[in-house]
Amino acid sequence: MLKGVIFDLDGVITDTAGYHFQAWAALAKELGIEIDEEFNEKLKGVSRMESLEAILKHGNRENDFTKEEKEALATKKNDHYKELIKNITKKDILPGIEKLLQELKENNIKIALGSASKNAPVILKQLEIEEYFDYVVDANQIKNSKPAPDIFIDGLKGLELKPEEAVGVEDAEAGIEAIHGAGMIAIGVGVKGDVNVSSTEELTYDVILRASQAC
Ligand code: G6P
Ligand code: MG
């Protein structure tokens, strides 16, 4: 029986995926590395430092920087990203999402956020939807990032639910793998899950309920 939903943030609740790409592409360019949208798919759901490592590897520069220099590069990307998301407001919630959050609440379904982003709490606040969330996974406390299941396991723990009582919603391949690793049913938004929707508009309470029953 469905008792909870764990949502990814970037690309599911709001379209910050484009801002992450913009900030990474700018940093990569400074390092003489070019990344395109196709490469960016591999970065979705992946932690800040692991994303940087992937970009450096892509440009054959993985051995060119010390740990401290890498920390500084990751901070630089994050400062740029924070600048880009500064003006995000309620109007940046993806279509259908707030209605869905309301419906889940009305039906006593618990809601958690399972994002790898350390900026997630600030973004939820800017979107004015923090009150819907019973639990927000703290990415600072998670050892292994997606595709490891840790974030979703922590989300289940925070909601006090078993894997079969909750579904996960993701827009990234790494995220779908993480949901499956936690033993949950995965709904893919524009990516292949157990149940698929092409956009958040299609992500209704009915779809989630049917997904939880069908699998
Ligand atoms: C999400 C995004 C990734 C991002 C990661 C870390 O998973 O999909 O693109 O790298 O969060 O975000 P942060 O805000 O902590 O750098
Ligand atoms: Mg995402």
Side-chain angles (χ1 to χ4, degrees), residues 8-12 44-45 146 170-172:
D8 173 45
L9 174 71
D10 297 297
V12 171
K44 287 187 180 172
K146 299 170 191 177
E170 264 288 353
D171 71 319

Side-chain angles (χ1 to χ4, degrees), residues 8 10 20 24 43-48 51 77-78 81 115-119 146:
D8 173 45
D10 297 297
H20 277 294
W24 280 129
L43 302 183
K44 287 187 180 172
V46 177
S47 75
R48 197 180 306 163
S51 299
K77 179 267 173 178
N78 193 47
Y81 177 69
S115 170
S117 175
K118 293 173 182 163
N119 292 295
K146 299 170 191 177

Side-chain angles (χ1 to χ4, degrees), residues 8 10-12 41 44 168-177 179-180 186-199:
D8 173 45
D10 297 297
V12 171
E41 284 304 308
K44 287 187 180 172
V169 186
E170 264 288 353
D171 71 319
E173 269 176 37
I176 298 287
E177 203 179 320
I179 295 172
H180 283 157
I187 300 180
V189 181
V191 69
K192 201 179 170 310
D194 301 305
V195 169
N196 311 306
V197 293
S198 58
S199 79

Side-chain angles (χ1 to χ4, degrees), residues 129-201:
I129 52 172
E130 323 119 274
E131 72 274 13
Y132 290 109
F133 290 82
D134 300 287
Y135 184 73
V136 176
V137 174
D138 179 359
N140 294 290
Q141 307 298 326
I142 301 297
K143 196 157 165 255
N144 305 302
S145 199
K146 299 170 191 177
D150 302 31
I151 286 178
F152 288 98
I153 291 173
D154 186 76
L156 286 170
K157 209 170 147 202
L159 295 182
E160 298 177 357
L161 294 179
K162 297 189 194 93
E164 60 274 19
E165 293 173 327
V167 301
V169 186
E170 264 288 353
D171 71 319
E173 269 176 37
I176 298 287
E177 203 179 320
I179 295 172
H180 283 157
M184 297 160 68
I185 287 164
I187 300 180
V189 181
V191 69
K192 201 179 170 310
D194 301 305
V195 169
N196 311 306
V197 293
S198 58
S199 79
T200 55
E201 265 159 317

